[in-house]
Amino acid sequence: MGREQGFQGCFECCIKCLGGIPYASLIATILLYAGVALFCGCGHEALSGTVNILQTYFEMARTAGDTLDVFTMIDIFKYVIYGIAAAFFVYGILLMVEGFFTTGAIKDLYGDFKITTCGRCVSAWFIMLTYLFMLAWLGVTAFTSLPVYMYFNLWTICRNTTLVEGANLCLDLRQFGIVTIGEEKKICTVSENFMRMCESTELNMTFHLFIVALAGAGAAVIAMVHYLMVLSANWAYVKDACRMQKYEDIKSKEEQELHDIHSTRSKERLNAYT
């Protein structure tokens, strides 16, 4: 009998804990972490592959000094990726905590929304911040599509070369803004470097890594939209709870006043009778 009661109590505790999990925020957090991981991991490796392709097949070298060349820009992008990974890891945790503090389990533990003003301010702040991050991820997604477009052109040239014999196609890096107008970094299908590049697995791998990074950025945008829906629902929930609390306070105050009036009249009647 004692074991059954203990098992039932443990089962009820588990059900209560599961009921307090913000599943919508959990799904959005998993999607955000997956998207950020794909974008940062694949984007970092794709940038490293781009450096190897430029140095090996296009015969480009790093510029000495503090000149801002394509290799310096790639290094800056790598550091930006490190910052994005760390920032959104922390932001996902903060949003999960905010989700936990707007569930029924927290309400049962700490009472009927004793800090609704603070909760409303926090929810409004997260809504504004998440909206800005969503716009930022839209920009990141658009920016990530550029290297995908460049590698698609390069992959198409390699494919056309194998299909059409004797075709002399060239790819000039100046048309993509990778080098200045004065520099001529052009590779043609008749060159040995071009054939080695098309036959290597490095080009195909880098191209697909950029595609996966683009998909990760898109997943992060979807996660931000999901977070906006969750935060808006939490905002409405806390706002309604605040109104309900004010109504309950006014109702309790009126009932107390009616009770005091009734008690006073009863005492007056009793005194008049005596």
Side-chain angles (χ1 to χ4, degrees), residues 212-249:
V212 177
L214 178 62
V221 173
I222 296 174
M224 290 293 103
V225 174
H226 195 162
Y227 269 130
L228 280 176
M229 294 188 294
V230 173
L231 292 170
S232 299
N234 290 344
W235 164 266
Y237 182 60
V238 173
K239 187 176 181 180
D240 290 342
C242 182
R243 291 178 178 177
M244 183 61 67
Q245 183 182 4
K246 291 180 179 179
Y247 171 75
E248 293 292 339
D249 293 340

mmCIF file of all heavy atoms in Angstrom, residues 212-249:
data_model
loop_
_atom_site.group_PDB
_atom_site.id
_atom_site.type_symbol
_atom_site.label_atom_id
_atom_site.label_comp_id
_atom_site.label_asym_id
_atom_site.label_seq_id
_atom_site.Cartn_x
_atom_site.Cartn_y
_atom_site.Cartn_z
ATOM 1 N N VAL A 212 24.308 24.236 -46.866
ATOM 2 C CA VAL A 212 23.836 23.852 -45.529
ATOM 3 C C VAL A 212 23.850 25.059 -44.593
ATOM 4 O O VAL A 212 22.952 25.226 -43.753
ATOM 5 C CB VAL A 212 24.697 22.707 -44.971
ATOM 6 C CG1 VAL A 212 24.275 22.351 -43.553
ATOM 7 C CG2 VAL A 212 24.584 21.473 -45.865
ATOM 8 N N ALA A 213 24.871 25.910 -44.711
ATOM 9 C CA ALA A 213 24.910 27.126 -43.894
ATOM 10 C C ALA A 213 23.722 28.035 -44.208
ATOM 11 O O ALA A 213 23.127 28.649 -43.308
ATOM 12 C CB ALA A 213 26.224 27.872 -44.131
ATOM 13 N N LEU A 214 23.364 28.125 -45.487
ATOM 14 C CA LEU A 214 22.181 28.903 -45.868
ATOM 15 C C LEU A 214 20.912 28.304 -45.268
ATOM 16 O O LEU A 214 20.038 29.041 -44.778
ATOM 17 C CB LEU A 214 22.077 28.955 -47.391
ATOM 18 C CG LEU A 214 20.874 29.700 -47.976
ATOM 19 C CD1 LEU A 214 20.889 31.165 -47.569
ATOM 20 C CD2 LEU A 214 20.855 29.578 -49.493
ATOM 21 N N ALA A 215 20.811 26.981 -45.279
ATOM 22 C CA ALA A 215 19.652 26.326 -44.660
ATOM 23 C C ALA A 215 19.624 26.576 -43.156
ATOM 24 O O ALA A 215 18.547 26.778 -42.568
ATOM 25 C CB ALA A 215 19.689 24.825 -44.954
ATOM 26 N N GLY A 216 20.796 26.589 -42.519
ATOM 27 C CA GLY A 216 20.845 26.887 -41.092
ATOM 28 C C GLY A 216 20.391 28.298 -40.778
ATOM 29 O O GLY A 216 19.669 28.529 -39.791
ATOM 30 N N ALA A 217 20.793 29.266 -41.615
ATOM 31 C CA ALA A 217 20.332 30.644 -41.416
ATOM 32 C C ALA A 217 18.819 30.741 -41.593
ATOM 33 O O ALA A 217 18.135 31.456 -40.846
ATOM 34 C CB ALA A 217 21.051 31.583 -42.395
ATOM 35 N N GLY A 218 18.276 30.009 -42.566
ATOM 36 C CA GLY A 218 16.822 29.985 -42.735
ATOM 37 C C GLY A 218 16.113 29.372 -41.541
ATOM 38 O O GLY A 218 15.051 29.851 -41.119
ATOM 39 N N ALA A 219 16.707 28.314 -40.977
ATOM 40 C CA ALA A 219 16.122 27.704 -39.776
ATOM 41 C C ALA A 219 16.144 28.670 -38.599
ATOM 42 O O ALA A 219 15.203 28.707 -37.791
ATOM 43 C CB ALA A 219 16.881 26.419 -39.422
ATOM 44 N N ALA A 220 17.192 29.472 -38.490
ATOM 45 C CA ALA A 220 17.250 30.472 -37.422
ATOM 46 C C ALA A 220 16.171 31.530 -37.596
ATOM 47 O O ALA A 220 15.573 31.997 -36.615
ATOM 48 C CB ALA A 220 18.636 31.120 -37.393
ATOM 49 N N VAL A 221 15.889 31.913 -38.844
ATOM 50 C CA VAL A 221 14.797 32.872 -39.098
ATOM 51 C C VAL A 221 13.462 32.278 -38.660
ATOM 52 O O VAL A 221 12.649 32.951 -38.002
ATOM 53 C CB VAL A 221 14.759 33.248 -40.595
ATOM 54 C CG1 VAL A 221 13.526 34.097 -40.901
ATOM 55 C CG2 VAL A 221 16.014 34.005 -40.988
ATOM 56 N N ILE A 222 13.229 31.009 -38.998
ATOM 57 C CA ILE A 222 11.982 30.354 -38.591
ATOM 58 C C ILE A 222 11.891 30.276 -37.069
ATOM 59 O O ILE A 222 10.818 30.478 -36.473
ATOM 60 C CB ILE A 222 11.900 28.944 -39.216
ATOM 61 C CG1 ILE A 222 11.830 29.053 -40.745
ATOM 62 C CG2 ILE A 222 10.681 28.187 -38.694
ATOM 63 C CD1 ILE A 222 11.880 27.720 -41.449
ATOM 64 N N ALA A 223 13.024 30.000 -36.416
ATOM 65 C CA ALA A 223 13.031 29.950 -34.950
ATOM 66 C C ALA A 223 12.688 31.312 -34.353
ATOM 67 O O ALA A 223 11.952 31.405 -33.357
ATOM 68 C CB ALA A 223 14.398 29.483 -34.460
ATOM 69 N N MET A 224 13.205 32.387 -34.949
ATOM 70 C CA MET A 224 12.891 33.723 -34.453
ATOM 71 C C MET A 224 11.399 34.035 -34.610
ATOM 72 O O MET A 224 10.779 34.635 -33.723
ATOM 73 C CB MET A 224 13.718 34.762 -35.206
ATOM 74 C CG MET A 224 15.207 34.759 -34.899
ATOM 75 S SD MET A 224 15.605 35.280 -33.218
ATOM 76 C CE MET A 224 15.963 33.694 -32.459
ATOM 77 N N VAL A 225 10.817 33.628 -35.741
ATOM 78 C CA VAL A 225 9.378 33.834 -35.943
ATOM 79 C C VAL A 225 8.585 33.029 -34.916
ATOM 80 O O VAL A 225 7.589 33.515 -34.348
ATOM 81 C CB VAL A 225 8.988 33.434 -37.373
ATOM 82 C CG1 VAL A 225 7.475 33.507 -37.560
ATOM 83 C CG2 VAL A 225 9.664 34.342 -38.392
ATOM 84 N N HIS A 226 9.029 31.804 -34.651
ATOM 85 C CA HIS A 226 8.368 30.960 -33.645
ATOM 86 C C HIS A 226 8.456 31.613 -32.270
ATOM 87 O O HIS A 226 7.484 31.638 -31.510
ATOM 88 C CB HIS A 226 9.022 29.584 -33.640
ATOM 89 C CG HIS A 226 8.213 28.548 -32.935
ATOM 90 N ND1 HIS A 226 8.411 27.201 -33.098
ATOM 91 C CD2 HIS A 226 7.193 28.648 -32.048
ATOM 92 C CE1 HIS A 226 7.557 26.528 -32.352
ATOM 93 N NE2 HIS A 226 6.803 27.391 -31.699
ATOM 94 N N TYR A 227 9.629 32.148 -31.943
ATOM 95 C CA TYR A 227 9.797 32.842 -30.667
ATOM 96 C C TYR A 227 8.878 34.059 -30.571
ATOM 97 O O TYR A 227 8.328 34.342 -29.491
ATOM 98 C CB TYR A 227 11.245 33.291 -30.505
ATOM 99 C CG TYR A 227 12.132 32.286 -29.815
ATOM 100 C CD1 TYR A 227 13.346 31.909 -30.364
ATOM 101 C CD2 TYR A 227 11.771 31.721 -28.590
ATOM 102 C CE1 TYR A 227 14.170 30.998 -29.738
ATOM 103 C CE2 TYR A 227 12.585 30.811 -27.957
ATOM 104 C CZ TYR A 227 13.785 30.458 -28.534
ATOM 105 O OH TYR A 227 14.593 29.548 -27.909
ATOM 106 N N LEU A 228 8.714 34.778 -31.655
ATOM 107 C CA LEU A 228 7.829 35.939 -31.633
ATOM 108 C C LEU A 228 6.395 35.530 -31.308
ATOM 109 O O LEU A 228 5.699 36.212 -30.535
ATOM 110 C CB LEU A 228 7.879 36.667 -32.981
ATOM 111 C CG LEU A 228 9.061 37.599 -33.227
ATOM 112 C CD1 LEU A 228 9.012 38.169 -34.635
ATOM 113 C CD2 LEU A 228 9.072 38.729 -32.198
ATOM 114 N N MET A 229 5.946 34.423 -31.896
ATOM 115 C CA MET A 229 4.596 33.937 -31.594
ATOM 116 C C MET A 229 4.475 33.519 -30.138
ATOM 117 O O MET A 229 3.480 33.831 -29.456
ATOM 118 C CB MET A 229 4.243 32.783 -32.527
ATOM 119 C CG MET A 229 4.116 33.172 -33.983
ATOM 120 S SD MET A 229 3.477 31.854 -35.031
ATOM 121 C CE MET A 229 4.813 30.669 -34.924
ATOM 122 N N VAL A 230 5.493 32.828 -29.627
ATOM 123 C CA VAL A 230 5.469 32.378 -28.229
ATOM 124 C C VAL A 230 5.490 33.569 -27.278
ATOM 125 O O VAL A 230 4.715 33.636 -26.312
ATOM 126 C CB VAL A 230 6.662 31.445 -27.961
ATOM 127 C CG1 VAL A 230 6.762 31.110 -26.471
ATOM 128 C CG2 VAL A 230 6.529 30.156 -28.764
ATOM 129 N N LEU A 231 6.377 34.522 -27.547
ATOM 130 C CA LEU A 231 6.485 35.692 -26.667
ATOM 131 C C LEU A 231 5.231 36.549 -26.702
ATOM 132 O O LEU A 231 4.824 37.108 -25.680
ATOM 133 C CB LEU A 231 7.706 36.521 -27.073
ATOM 134 C CG LEU A 231 9.071 35.875 -26.822
ATOM 135 C CD1 LEU A 231 10.169 36.686 -27.483
ATOM 136 C CD2 LEU A 231 9.340 35.731 -25.335
ATOM 137 N N SER A 232 4.616 36.661 -27.871
ATOM 138 C CA SER A 232 3.362 37.423 -27.964
ATOM 139 C C SER A 232 2.259 36.744 -27.156
ATOM 140 O O SER A 232 1.470 37.413 -26.469
ATOM 141 C CB SER A 232 2.942 37.555 -29.428
ATOM 142 O OG SER A 232 3.913 38.244 -30.174
ATOM 143 N N ALA A 233 2.216 35.402 -27.228
ATOM 144 C CA ALA A 233 1.229 34.675 -26.428
ATOM 145 C C ALA A 233 1.505 34.844 -24.943
ATOM 146 O O ALA A 233 0.569 35.032 -24.132
ATOM 147 C CB ALA A 233 1.240 33.198 -26.815
ATOM 148 N N ASN A 234 2.780 34.801 -24.546
ATOM 149 C CA ASN A 234 3.135 35.000 -23.134
ATOM 150 C C ASN A 234 2.773 36.405 -22.671
ATOM 151 O O ASN A 234 2.315 36.608 -21.540
ATOM 152 C CB ASN A 234 4.633 34.751 -22.936
ATOM 153 C CG ASN A 234 5.000 33.288 -23.083
ATOM 154 O OD1 ASN A 234 4.137 32.405 -23.042
ATOM 155 N ND2 ASN A 234 6.274 33.011 -23.272
ATOM 156 N N TRP A 235 2.999 37.378 -23.558
ATOM 157 C CA TRP A 235 2.632 38.763 -23.226
ATOM 158 C C TRP A 235 1.134 38.883 -22.957
ATOM 159 O O TRP A 235 0.710 39.507 -21.980
ATOM 160 C CB TRP A 235 3.061 39.676 -24.365
ATOM 161 C CG TRP A 235 2.425 41.034 -24.339
ATOM 162 C CD1 TRP A 235 1.302 41.428 -25.003
ATOM 163 C CD2 TRP A 235 2.869 42.174 -23.602
ATOM 164 N NE1 TRP A 235 1.023 42.742 -24.750
ATOM 165 C CE2 TRP A 235 1.962 43.237 -23.886
ATOM 166 C CE3 TRP A 235 3.935 42.419 -22.754
ATOM 167 C CZ2 TRP A 235 2.115 44.491 -23.347
ATOM 168 C CZ3 TRP A 235 4.074 43.680 -22.209
ATOM 169 C CH2 TRP A 235 3.179 44.698 -22.503
ATOM 170 N N ALA A 236 0.337 38.297 -23.835
ATOM 171 C CA ALA A 236 -1.112 38.353 -23.650
ATOM 172 C C ALA A 236 -1.530 37.605 -22.384
ATOM 173 O O ALA A 236 -2.435 38.050 -21.661
ATOM 174 C CB ALA A 236 -1.807 37.748 -24.873
ATOM 175 N N TYR A 237 -0.854 36.492 -22.104
ATOM 176 C CA TYR A 237 -1.186 35.702 -20.924
ATOM 177 C C TYR A 237 -0.902 36.478 -19.638
ATOM 178 O O TYR A 237 -1.738 36.540 -18.722
ATOM 179 C CB TYR A 237 -0.366 34.413 -20.958
ATOM 180 C CG TYR A 237 -0.639 33.463 -19.822
ATOM 181 C CD1 TYR A 237 -1.909 32.925 -19.619
ATOM 182 C CD2 TYR A 237 0.387 33.091 -18.951
ATOM 183 C CE1 TYR A 237 -2.153 32.053 -18.583
ATOM 184 C CE2 TYR A 237 0.148 32.213 -17.912
ATOM 185 C CZ TYR A 237 -1.121 31.697 -17.728
ATOM 186 O OH TYR A 237 -1.364 30.831 -16.694
ATOM 187 N N VAL A 238 0.262 37.115 -19.580
ATOM 188 C CA VAL A 238 0.622 37.893 -18.398
ATOM 189 C C VAL A 238 -0.278 39.127 -18.268
ATOM 190 O O VAL A 238 -0.682 39.517 -17.169
ATOM 191 C CB VAL A 238 2.105 38.297 -18.465
ATOM 192 C CG1 VAL A 238 2.473 39.242 -17.333
ATOM 193 C CG2 VAL A 238 2.990 37.064 -18.411
ATOM 194 N N LYS A 239 -0.611 39.740 -19.402
ATOM 195 C CA LYS A 239 -1.477 40.924 -19.373
ATOM 196 C C LYS A 239 -2.866 40.575 -18.857
ATOM 197 O O LYS A 239 -3.444 41.302 -18.033
ATOM 198 C CB LYS A 239 -1.556 41.516 -20.767
ATOM 199 C CG LYS A 239 -2.283 42.850 -20.842
ATOM 200 C CD LYS A 239 -2.233 43.403 -22.248
ATOM 201 C CE LYS A 239 -2.931 44.748 -22.334
ATOM 202 N NZ LYS A 239 -2.885 45.294 -23.717
ATOM 203 N N ASP A 240 -3.421 39.453 -19.339
ATOM 204 C CA ASP A 240 -4.734 39.020 -18.859
ATOM 205 C C ASP A 240 -4.680 38.656 -17.386
ATOM 206 O O ASP A 240 -5.627 38.920 -16.631
ATOM 207 C CB ASP A 240 -5.219 37.824 -19.680
ATOM 208 C CG ASP A 240 -5.574 38.215 -21.105
ATOM 209 O OD1 ASP A 240 -5.773 39.414 -21.353
ATOM 210 O OD2 ASP A 240 -5.630 37.314 -21.965
ATOM 211 N N ALA A 241 -3.567 38.034 -16.977
ATOM 212 C CA ALA A 241 -3.429 37.683 -15.559
ATOM 213 C C ALA A 241 -3.373 38.924 -14.688
ATOM 214 O O ALA A 241 -3.917 38.952 -13.580
ATOM 215 C CB ALA A 241 -2.171 36.836 -15.360
ATOM 216 N N CYS A 242 -2.714 39.972 -15.196
ATOM 217 C CA CYS A 242 -2.651 41.231 -14.445
ATOM 218 C C CYS A 242 -4.043 41.842 -14.296
ATOM 219 O O CYS A 242 -4.419 42.309 -13.218
ATOM 220 C CB CYS A 242 -1.707 42.193 -15.154
ATOM 221 S SG CYS A 242 -1.480 43.765 -14.310
ATOM 222 N N ARG A 243 -4.815 41.832 -15.370
ATOM 223 C CA ARG A 243 -6.183 42.352 -15.299
ATOM 224 C C ARG A 243 -7.037 41.523 -14.352
ATOM 225 O O ARG A 243 -7.830 42.067 -13.573
ATOM 226 C CB ARG A 243 -6.799 42.354 -16.691
ATOM 227 C CG ARG A 243 -6.189 43.379 -17.640
ATOM 228 C CD ARG A 243 -6.824 43.293 -19.009
ATOM 229 N NE ARG A 243 -6.299 44.299 -19.924
ATOM 230 C CZ ARG A 243 -6.644 44.394 -21.204
ATOM 231 N NH1 ARG A 243 -7.539 43.554 -21.709
ATOM 232 N NH2 ARG A 243 -6.117 45.331 -21.956
ATOM 233 N N MET A 244 -6.855 40.207 -14.425
ATOM 234 C CA MET A 244 -7.624 39.341 -13.531
ATOM 235 C C MET A 244 -7.261 39.586 -12.076
ATOM 236 O O MET A 244 -8.122 39.580 -11.193
ATOM 237 C CB MET A 244 -7.368 37.881 -13.897
ATOM 238 C CG MET A 244 -8.173 36.880 -13.074
ATOM 239 S SD MET A 244 -9.958 37.091 -13.272
ATOM 240 C CE MET A 244 -10.161 36.607 -14.986
ATOM 241 N N GLN A 245 -5.972 39.831 -11.816
ATOM 242 C CA GLN A 245 -5.561 40.096 -10.451
ATOM 243 C C GLN A 245 -6.159 41.411 -9.945
ATOM 244 O O GLN A 245 -6.604 41.506 -8.798
ATOM 245 C CB GLN A 245 -4.039 40.153 -10.373
ATOM 246 C CG GLN A 245 -3.519 40.355 -8.947
ATOM 247 C CD GLN A 245 -2.017 40.457 -8.890
ATOM 248 O OE1 GLN A 245 -1.375 40.452 -9.936
ATOM 249 N NE2 GLN A 245 -1.470 40.549 -7.711
ATOM 250 N N LYS A 246 -6.171 42.439 -10.818
ATOM 251 C CA LYS A 246 -6.773 43.705 -10.408
ATOM 252 C C LYS A 246 -8.264 43.529 -10.130
ATOM 253 O O LYS A 246 -8.799 44.104 -9.171
ATOM 254 C CB LYS A 246 -6.563 44.750 -11.508
ATOM 255 C CG LYS A 246 -5.113 45.193 -11.666
ATOM 256 C CD LYS A 246 -4.978 46.229 -12.761
ATOM 257 C CE LYS A 246 -3.544 46.682 -12.914
ATOM 258 N NZ LYS A 246 -3.374 47.680 -14.005
ATOM 259 N N TYR A 247 -8.930 42.733 -10.970
ATOM 260 C CA TYR A 247 -10.353 42.486 -10.758
ATOM 261 C C TYR A 247 -10.580 41.759 -9.443
ATOM 262 O O TYR A 247 -11.505 42.098 -8.684
ATOM 263 C CB TYR A 247 -10.900 41.662 -11.926
ATOM 264 C CG TYR A 247 -12.301 41.160 -11.715
ATOM 265 C CD1 TYR A 247 -13.398 42.015 -11.828
ATOM 266 C CD2 TYR A 247 -12.527 39.822 -11.389
ATOM 267 C CE1 TYR A 247 -14.682 41.556 -11.622
ATOM 268 C CE2 TYR A 247 -13.809 39.357 -11.183
ATOM 269 C CZ TYR A 247 -14.890 40.220 -11.298
ATOM 270 O OH TYR A 247 -16.164 39.754 -11.089
ATOM 271 N N GLU A 248 -9.744 40.766 -9.148
ATOM 272 C CA GLU A 248 -9.890 40.022 -7.902
ATOM 273 C C GLU A 248 -9.625 40.926 -6.700
ATOM 274 O O GLU A 248 -10.309 40.810 -5.669
ATOM 275 C CB GLU A 248 -8.932 38.830 -7.889
ATOM 276 C CG GLU A 248 -9.246 37.741 -8.904
ATOM 277 C CD GLU A 248 -10.537 37.005 -8.566
ATOM 278 O OE1 GLU A 248 -10.957 37.051 -7.387
ATOM 279 O OE2 GLU A 248 -11.129 36.401 -9.477
ATOM 280 N N ASP A 249 -8.628 41.819 -6.815
ATOM 281 C CA ASP A 249 -8.347 42.734 -5.707
ATOM 282 C C ASP A 249 -9.522 43.680 -5.464
ATOM 283 O O ASP A 249 -9.912 43.929 -4.311
ATOM 284 C CB ASP A 249 -7.083 43.543 -6.003
ATOM 285 C CG ASP A 249 -5.831 42.677 -6.017
ATOM 286 O OD1 ASP A 249 -5.894 41.564 -5.442
ATOM 287 O OD2 ASP A 249 -4.816 43.093 -6.612
#
